[in-house]
Amino acid sequence: SQTIHQWPATLVQPVGSPLSLECTVEGTSNPNLYWYRQAAGRGLQLLFYSVGIGQISSEVPQNLSASRPQDRQFILSSKKLLLSDSGFYLCAWSVGSGSLETQYFGPGTRLLVL
Amino acid sequence: KNQVEQSPQSLIILEGKNCTLQCNYTVSPFSNLRWYKQDTGRGPVSLTIMTFSENTKSNGRYTATLDADTKQSSLHITASQLSDSASYICVVYNFNKFYFGSGTKLNVKP
């Protein structure tokens, strides 16, 4: 069966510090991978998605970046965090095609920038 | 513009009661619609998925309906339990992108 891991579960970082969140998927090959951010009490905002190694599409311009160094590894980074980067970050993967395509979410990382 | 709107924004019900959550969408073309349950501080977990040809799908006490003509879906929860307290998110896929509603926050009280 497929499993998705995210770490760390929670993170408190000062403004201006770097960030690296990691997501790995097990039990599947060549998944589509996604990074979302969810602000408190708000819906999910798509940040990045990747259809393959080294292929990253950005949905929202910001000070974050993403990389996919391996097929089942997706990393979200920042060189200098802003207060507005605080939120709940979710990694997801999708499988299937056409009408059966669906997403599965990781447990999330709660980031607080102070 | 492709959008997914959910109502109500929040809902409080007593344990044991039924409730219905609504999802209206303008996403086109339509591939599938999925309802997720998100507990506080956790990732969303899938409840049901429906394609164009399906108009109802059940998962235990959760029953989702879909009217593709009016572009409306509902999630009915029967005999609510305290563990049903969560946010419920409607997501529509158009063969290219996933569109998320902002969710309905359900609070089940004893």
Side-chain angles (χ1 to χ4, degrees):
Chain A
S1 65
Q2 299 89 355
T3 310
I4 180 168
H5 302 280
Q6 278 187 252
W7 63 91
T10 59
L11 190 60
V12 181
Q13 291 283 97
V15 170
S17 64
L19 173 74
S20 181
L21 302 182
E22 190 162 342
C23 169
T24 59
V25 181
E26 295 177 0
T28 187
S29 296
N30 197 31
N32 294 331
L33 296 172
Y34 307 81
W35 276 112
Y36 290 90
R37 177 170 58 204
Q38 187 176 37
R42 306 285 295 275
L44 278 76
Q45 178 189 35
L46 179 63
L47 302 175
F48 300 95
Y49 70 93
S50 171
V51 298
I53 296 174
Q55 301 178 64
I56 309 294
S57 296
S58 173
E59 285 291 302
V60 181
Q62 60 225 316
N63 70 319
L64 299 171
S65 63
S67 62
R68 185 170 177 173
Q70 300 180 46
D71 181 44
R72 290 170 287 178
Q73 183 185 31
F74 205 22
I75 298 173
L76 183 68
S77 305
S78 173
K79 291 182 180 178
K80 286 186 177 182
L81 283 169
L82 306 172
L83 287 175
S84 57
D85 291 325
S86 293
F88 191 50
Y89 288 82
L90 286 159
C91 180
W93 66 280
S94 70
V95 67
S97 60
S99 61
L100 296 178
E101 176 132 8
T102 190
Q103 282 185 321
Y104 298 92
F105 289 86
T109 293
R110 185 161 302 283
L111 172 66
L112 179 59
V113 182
L114 300 174
Chain B
K1 186 177 179 183
N2 291 318
Q3 286 185 311
V4 178
E5 305 218 346
Q6 292 186 243
S7 62
Q9 201 169 21
S10 62
L11 184 62
I12 300 174
I13 62 173
L14 292 176
E15 187 180 12
K17 297 296 185 184
N18 304 335
C19 68
T20 301
L21 314 180
Q22 298 290 340
C23 174
N24 297 337
Y25 61 93
T26 58
V27 177
S28 183
F30 175 84
S31 174
N32 63 53
L33 184 148
R34 186 177 282 271
W35 283 93
Y36 287 90
K37 178 187 178 188
Q38 185 178 22
D39 292 316
T40 301
R42 302 286 188 92
V45 175
S46 174
L47 294 175
T48 64
I49 180 171
M50 287 180 291
T51 59
F52 185 86
S53 58
E54 298 173 294
N55 54 25
T56 187
K57 186 71 73 77
S58 290
N59 178 1
R61 295 179 295 104
Y62 300 101
T63 299
T65 65
L66 172 65
D67 186 334
D69 292 330
T70 61
K71 298 189 176 182
Q72 295 179 325
S73 176
S74 66
L75 180 69
H76 186 75
I77 304 175
T78 304
S80 61
Q81 300 176 358
L82 297 178
S83 59
D84 292 331
S85 294
S87 289
Y88 292 83
I89 303 170
C90 174
V91 182
V92 181
Y93 181 61
N94 73 343
F95 297 100
N96 181 49
K97 190 174 176 180
F98 294 93
Y99 294 88
F100 289 77
S102 56
T104 292
K105 190 173 177 64
L106 175 65
N107 189 357
V108 180
K109 295 203 165 185

